Amino acid sequence: MQYFVIEEDRSAGYTGFVDAVHKWGLPGVHCPACDATWSAGFIYPSVDLTPVAALADFEEARPEPIEEYERLCELVRPLLPPGAILEPGSDFGPLVGKAQGRFGSFVMSYFSLLVQRDALEKLQAKDIRGLKGCRTELRFRQRNSPELFELEILPMGRLHRDCLPPDYQPPCSRCGRSSIPLPDDLLLDATTLPRDLDLFRLEDFSQVIVCTKRFADASKRLGLDGVVFQPLPVK
């Protein structure tokens, strides 16, 4: 199986810009074990937190003591899709905000991957595995505005130890924080990769979105643009 990292195609010439945040989120955390205050997290746009009591606890970005963070995790855990992982700063619900300009088939917005409706429907017709588009709440001030969906991309794979620094230290056992920056040359750990998904993000570096050759080939055959696919080695 061949894999690719998905990146924005900066040469495409699109002017589209998204200024939005997700409706809800877990707070950041201060960990007494490693003495770090941090927030990274994963994105679950399909998760509706309205059944949760004290919904206001999920509406403001802030750091919390780890005990409070862990309490809030338990409130949302039953609502998560299978395979979901929680980290400080994880986001839930639709993207809410403004968008304008001219967009490609795919749109990279920070750590989110958006897709236009027609492109999503074409990929769904190709039976791409694990493809889940979630509605956004974006406001456009232009005619003929696109309908953008956010793809829910589960954390499933990890980098191989061989591409990490020699002085690599395991993540904090209490909060899970890793101080290792993203390596320049990525190498996927074959033993951690999902066999039933064509699109996923890395568990240890959530900003890295990975797809299979099946996803990349389908996108290219359909003429979908806005992103490029960079090959990733596997060991």
Side-chain angles (χ1 to χ4, degrees):
M1 179 76 74
Q2 289 182 273
Y3 295 90
F4 299 81
V5 62
I6 300 178
E7 299 176 347
E8 180 183 1
D9 184 359
R10 299 184 181 275
S11 67
Y14 289 109
T15 61
F17 178 76
V18 176
D19 181 14
V21 296
H22 291 89
K23 185 169 285 189
W24 304 290
L26 282 172
V29 69
H30 174 73
C31 176
C34 64
D35 197 31
T37 298
W38 67 286
S39 175
F42 299 103
I43 304 170
Y44 304 108
S46 74
V47 174
D48 181 3
L49 293 193
T50 52
V52 176
L55 195 56
D57 289 340
F58 301 92
E59 295 176 346
E60 179 183 354
R62 67 201 184 280
E64 289 282 4
I66 196 165
E67 295 80 9
E68 173 64 4
Y69 162 75
E70 291 171 340
R71 182 186 74 83
L72 296 175
C73 283
E74 294 312 306
L75 295 179
V76 305
R77 201 176 301 278
L79 304 173
L80 299 178
I85 298 173
L86 291 178
E87 282 190 346
S90 291
D91 288 327
F92 314 100
L95 269 177
V96 181
K98 299 179 293 184
Q100 62 181 18
R102 191 167 59 89
F103 295 89
S105 305
F106 291 108
V107 181
M108 300 292 295
S109 177
Y110 301 102
F111 297 155
S112 295
L113 179 60
L114 311 183
V115 60
Q116 296 208 38
R117 174 189 278 277
D118 63 335
L120 176 60
E121 292 174 347
K122 290 176 181 178
L123 287 171
Q124 289 172 332
K126 296 295 183 181
D127 294 323
I128 298 298
R129 298 169 300 177
L131 193 66
K132 185 175 185 178
C134 303
R135 292 186 179 276
T136 60
E137 296 181 6
L138 298 174
R139 303 184 306 276
F140 291 85
R141 294 184 176 179
Q142 62 190 59
R143 294 182 178 179
N144 301 319
S145 58
E147 187 174 5
L148 294 178
F149 288 75
E150 182 175 7
L151 295 177
E152 183 161 79
I153 307 173
L154 296 178
M156 289 292 177
R158 302 182 68 87
L159 292 183
H160 196 279
R161 177 68 180 83
D162 286 358
C163 76
L164 301 178
D167 58 350
Y168 167 78
Q169 296 295 320
C172 173
S173 60
R174 181 67 192 278
C175 71
R177 176 182 177 270
S178 174
S179 59
I180 302 298
L182 182 67
D184 292 331
D185 298 314
L186 305 184
L187 176 65
L188 296 178
D189 184 340
T191 65
T192 69
L193 302 178
R195 301 302 177 188
D196 58 348
L197 294 177
D198 289 312
L199 183 68
F200 56 94
R201 66 173 76 240
L202 297 186
E203 295 179 19
D204 45 356
F205 292 94
S206 60
Q207 69 269 42
V208 179
I209 299 176
V210 179
C211 72
T212 62
K213 186 176 188 294
R214 190 166 179 266
F215 182 99
D217 285 351
S219 298
K220 292 174 183 177
R221 286 197 302 270
L222 292 168
L224 307 184
D225 59 4
V227 296
V228 292
F229 301 96
Q230 304 289 358
L232 278 179
V234 181
K235 182 177 180 179

